[in-house]
Amino acid sequence: MCGIVGYIGNNNCVPILIEGLKRLEYRGYDSAGIGIIDKNVSIIEKYKGKVSILEDNVYKKKLSATLGIGHTRWATHGEPNKINAHPHQNNDKDLFLIHNGIIENYQILKELLAKKGYKFYSQTDTEVLANLIDFHFKKTKDLFEGVRVALNEVEGAYGIAVISKKEPDKIVVAKKGSPLVIGVGRNENYIASDVNALIAHTSRVVYLEDDEVALITKDGFKARTIANHKLDKTIEEITVSADEITKGGYQHYMLKEIMEQPESVRNSLRGRLLEKEGISKLGGLQGFEDRIAQSDRIIISACGTSWHAALVGEYMIEEYAGIPVEVEYASEFRYRNPIINPNDTIFFISQSGETADTLAALKEAKKKGALVLGICNVVGSSIARASEAGVYIHAGPEIGVASTKAFTAQLSVLALITILLARKRRMSHMDGRKLVKEMDLIPDKIAKILTLNKKIEKLAEKFVNATNFLYLGRGYNFPVALEGALKLKEISYIHAEGYPAAEMKHGPIALIDENMPVVFIAPLDAVHEKVLSNIQEVKARKGKVIVIANELDKKVDKMADHVIKIPSTCPLLAPILNVIPLQLLAYHIAVKKGLNVDQPRNLAKSVTVE
Ligand code: G6P
């Protein structure tokens, strides 16, 4: 989604803003712009397209200023073009505003402002907000107050930053629903929608909470609530390093993140497995373990890839811990008036910790009195902070829009939670030890699968021109089929569907002919024979069969057109391994089609609007 950066200090802000925007480009990228103010000069530069277009133009013009804000946009109101790009200005063109989110009552505000003589030149809700702030700024004669008072009239979600030529020594920021972080430096300060834009400059940050507004100067900051209560914000240290967000020699972030999985999964497990006792230890859930284990029901809610992880979690927890689990899309959960009892536990899974639907669902669940827990990657993110307790997956920064290493780390954490609950309920010490031992082997098994990269790249060549794909799996591997299909459609724009293999005969089988590639996830497990029968059904209709199978599986070789053999593990952990060839297959098909896999069209890494 949109990215926000800002700088105030003694240095030229332009390269700082451009660099920050590049680090945020993965969030949204249909247009980009900066607004800068220095003494009597105020300039806006904005362009349709990537940050590099903005960069070329501002460097050519040799712009310089000590105060500025920048934005990458992912269109919500109005098509992506130069006019709709941010920053937006008031009619007097002396106030600049960048905004992430949606102002829901912007039509009403627009009409009210139009009656007062304001004119509008773009289709955006942001321009309405710029003029609303202008209106109150003129009345209060104070930028901070103008913003604060204006926001009392606004409904919707926002992370905003405002600067004005009339008060050129400050940035005013505010947050409701969309993330906003202040980066604290020495005689200079920064703002951003994501710590990734700050880490090159400072590790000291202040997270704004909803309904908070802050005034930032080069020497400090102060914050109040929108209702005007004074706040004492604490400065926190972040641990992500600048190295962690580079491509590290890979052609794309996505490939780097796929290749990092032995390490990222190891990090998600580190210090959390006690082999002798056959249990797992999750510091973030300390004090809540018994309550979770005694829950009448567990609900897991999430979006996208995280929702697929939740589905695997359902199979894991029901089978091993014997607690009923329901999985629900956060976007449905939030508007459905779901039945939630005080003895329910609800996990919210989110890589970014900022997904608007997931955050809203969490708030709804909290209101209803359930125990609300987060499973997040980004430390200090909104969902992590709004949860009563939770577990970080420790996958490290994920920049590629298509989620890969976060998925396997989410599955690892769900397996840890499963062991924790199962051992408190019905899993024996011996079984616990076996499972813990097996989990320990997973990173090395992933490393082994990654050695198949070249083979999978070759296989990808054969399917570059496919227009459809089916992904089929059963049990734990049905969600893996969904995830494999999602990876392919996200980055290659090939239509792909995931199905439980046995459901194929109830519809999708009609699609199968010699042009339909069908990917089967068929490890040696309890339903293996059944999946082999499904493979036969596809072959009988001339479909092209690709199978993800285990090394010891001999039968499958005769049936499939292409087999990718990977190590085996216990069924509960198999999705962590089985998804890896599917990530690589999607990646190589997209690269061979000449597509930008890190920034696929229309998608955003972190969807902070509804
Ligand atoms: C977006 C991303 C997906 C991601 C989903 C949920 O749609 O493009 O890759 O799975 O949001 O994101 P979250 O950060 O909540 O896991």
Side-chain angles (χ1 to χ4, degrees):
M1 202 83 345
C2 309
I4 285 178
V5 288
Y7 173 82
I8 185 161
N10 299 318
N11 294 312
N12 180 9
C13 68
V14 176
I16 298 169
L17 297 179
I18 296 292
E19 200 42 49
L21 290 179
K22 281 186 178 166
R23 295 225 190 268
L24 294 179
E25 209 174 10
Y26 74 103
R27 296 175 65 97
Y29 33 75
D30 53 42
S31 51
I34 59 168
I36 57 173
I37 294 179
D38 206 318
K39 293 174 195 104
N40 292 321
V41 193
S42 62
I43 297 168
I44 282 195
E45 285 284 324
K46 46 190 191 178
Y47 297 89
K48 184 176 171 188
K50 293 190 160 297
V51 175
S52 55
I53 300 172
L54 171 75
E55 180 181 23
D56 289 348
N57 281 286
V58 298
Y59 286 160
K60 247 185 248 153
K61 292 182 184 172
K62 297 197 168 48
L63 299 179
S64 174
T66 53
L67 168 67
I69 53 178
H71 188 268
T72 54
R73 178 168 185 256
W74 187 84
T76 55
H77 285 66
E79 63 172 280
N81 59 26
K82 189 166 175 159
I83 293 180
N84 289 336
H86 297 218
H88 284 275
Q89 328 179 48
N90 57 341
N91 284 175
D92 293 344
K93 298 191 186 313
D94 56 7
L95 178 144
F96 300 162
L97 165 69
I98 52 177
H99 167 218
N100 180 11
I102 294 177
I103 308 298
E104 283 165 8
N105 60 340
Y106 84 107
Q107 276 298 358
I108 301 169
L109 295 171
K110 194 171 183 174
E111 284 158 27
L112 288 174
L113 289 165
K115 281 190 195 137
K116 294 184 200 306
Y118 282 92
K119 300 258 175 308
F120 296 94
Y121 303 95
S122 77
Q123 296 148 291
T124 66
D125 50 345
T126 307
E127 190 189 13
V128 175
L129 184 56
N131 283 309
L132 183 70
I133 292 171
D134 175 82
F135 175 73
H136 288 290
F137 181 19
K138 283 188 176 131
K139 271 180 46 184
T140 57
K141 304 206 165 27
D142 180 89
L143 183 63
F144 179 80
E145 270 304 284
V147 173
R148 192 189 65 72
V149 175
L151 291 178
N152 279 283
E153 294 175 11
V154 165
E155 282 164 24
Y158 50 79
I160 59 165
V162 189
I163 56 175
S164 165
K165 211 166 138 183
K166 287 189 196 137
E167 294 189 11
D169 54 349
K170 58 188 69 157
I171 306 177
V172 179
V173 292
K175 166 185 164 25
K176 183 177 193 164
S178 295
L180 218 135
V181 195
I182 304 169
V184 182
R186 245 177 234 277
N187 303 322
E188 57 187 2
N189 286 308
Y190 307 81
I191 57 118
S193 52
D194 181 325
V195 289
N196 282 351
L198 302 176
I199 52 186
H201 307 289
T202 179
S203 59
R204 301 174 71 223
V205 300
V206 177
Y207 294 100
L208 276 202
E209 298 295 341
D210 281 355
D211 296 313
E212 291 182 358
V213 49
L215 171 74
I216 295 128
T217 61
K218 73 183 168 71
D219 306 312
F221 66 92
K222 69 162 198 186
R224 298 184 85 86
T225 64
I226 285 162
N228 209 16
H229 298 296
K230 205 172 160 233
L231 291 164
D232 235 348
K233 303 288 294 177
T234 41
I235 299 177
E236 297 177 36
E237 280 285 329
I238 45 170
T239 51
V240 178
S241 73
D243 286 354
E244 283 181 84
I245 55 169
T246 65
K247 283 190 200 151
Y250 287 97
Q251 198 188 344
H252 296 102
Y253 282 112
M254 184 177 175
L255 184 59
K256 176 187 173 232
E257 287 158 7
I258 292 173
M259 292 299 177
E260 272 172 358
Q261 288 176 108
E263 204 43 39
S264 52
V265 166
R266 198 170 279 123
N267 287 341
S268 70
L269 301 177
R270 198 180 307 279
R272 291 169 161 180
L273 288 170
L274 304 186
E275 200 190 316
K276 215 166 114 217
E277 294 92 331
I279 56 169
S280 63
K281 196 180 80 185
L282 293 162
L285 296 183
Q286 222 169 12
F288 291 90
E289 296 103 325
D290 288 332
R291 197 167 149 201
I292 306 168
Q294 284 154 21
S295 305
D296 292 336
R297 182 176 63 147
I298 289 177
I299 299 171
I300 317 178
S301 189
C303 303
T305 289
S306 299
W307 184 79
H308 294 156
L311 287 178
V312 178
E314 176 183 12
Y315 282 86
M316 289 175 171
I317 296 170
E318 288 205 340
E319 180 176 352
Y320 287 85
I323 306 173
V325 180
E326 279 172 35
V327 174
E328 185 143 343
Y329 284 117
S331 54
E332 290 298 311
F333 183 92
R334 63 183 291 194
Y335 288 121
R336 208 174 55 80
N337 194 16
I339 299 164
I340 298 171
N341 301 312
N343 215 22
D344 289 340
T345 293
I346 313 193
F347 283 100
F348 290 91
I349 308 181
S350 175
Q351 185 285 128
S352 62
E354 302 294 348
T355 302
D357 284 326
T358 313
L359 187 57
L362 183 151
K363 288 179 181 163
E364 186 59 29
K366 227 178 181 180
K367 260 193 234 152
K368 297 199 161 171
L371 174 61
V372 166
L373 306 170
I375 300 177
C376 295
N377 191 31
V378 177
V379 176
S381 55
S382 299
I383 292 169
R385 282 178 291 128
S387 307
E388 283 167 69
V391 188
Y392 282 118
I393 62 170
H394 295 313
E398 189 180 68
I399 310 285
V401 166
S403 185
T404 51
K405 65 173 180 171
F407 181 67
T408 46
Q410 286 165 345
L411 296 184
S412 307
V413 162
L414 285 163
L416 289 168
I417 293 171
T418 301
I419 298 178
L420 181 93
L421 301 180
R423 287 285 285 119
K424 282 192 177 288
R425 290 172 63 100
R426 58 185 196 180
M427 187 186 276
S428 69
H429 179 206
M430 279 311 288
D431 286 348
R433 285 185 65 164
K434 255 195 248 158
L435 198 50
V436 166
K437 256 196 184 151
E438 191 52 42
M439 284 190 79
D440 224 19
L441 300 175
I442 291 293
D444 287 344
K445 292 187 179 180
I446 297 176
K448 196 163 176 211
I449 298 169
L450 291 172
T451 63
L452 301 173
N453 183 33
K454 281 271 167 263
K455 183 179 171 180
I456 297 172
E457 185 179 355
K458 273 218 169 107
L459 179 64
E461 260 164 37
K462 300 192 188 326
F463 296 100
V464 176
N465 296 320
T467 47
N468 291 291
F469 256 82
L470 265 183
Y471 285 74
L472 303 174
R474 300 186 75 155
Y476 285 102
N477 294 301
F478 157 51
V480 176
L482 294 177
E483 177 60 9
L486 180 65
K487 285 296 82 93
L488 188 72
K489 62 187 144 196
E490 279 179 319
I491 58 171
S492 74
Y493 318 143
I494 295 173
H495 169 248
E497 283 189 65
Y499 259 90
E503 275 293 303
M504 179 184 66
K505 57 186 175 289
H506 299 297
I509 199 163
L511 300 169
I512 293 169
D513 61 15
E514 64 279 11
N515 298 316
M516 176 65 93
V518 184
V519 180
F520 279 93
I521 301 119
L524 289 168
D525 59 14
V527 287
H528 184 248
E529 287 294 329
K530 310 262 177 216
V531 178
L532 294 187
S533 306
N534 299 138
I535 294 176
Q536 303 280 24
E537 287 158 14
V538 172
K539 277 315 301 168
R541 287 157 185 87
K542 300 194 168 56
K544 294 277 169 297
V545 171
I546 304 162
V547 186
I548 312 301
N550 287 146
E551 284 159 345
L552 296 175
D553 186 349
K554 296 280 175 279
K555 279 191 193 164
V556 76
D557 298 338
K558 291 186 211 97
M559 299 181 187
D561 296 285
H562 309 280
V563 184
I564 300 167
K565 292 268 180 90
I566 64 170
S568 60
T569 181
C570 57
L572 153 108
L573 302 174
I576 306 177
L577 302 184
N578 294 338
V579 76
I580 298 205
L582 305 185
Q583 296 169 343
L584 284 169
L585 183 66
Y587 171 79
H588 287 301
I589 291 177
V591 171
K592 289 188 190 306
K593 285 176 77 109
L595 298 170
N596 183 347
V597 297
D598 281 337
Q599 296 171 354
R601 72 180 179 205
N602 303 342
L603 295 178
K605 181 75 186 155
S606 160
V607 181
T608 51
V609 294
E610 275 195 62

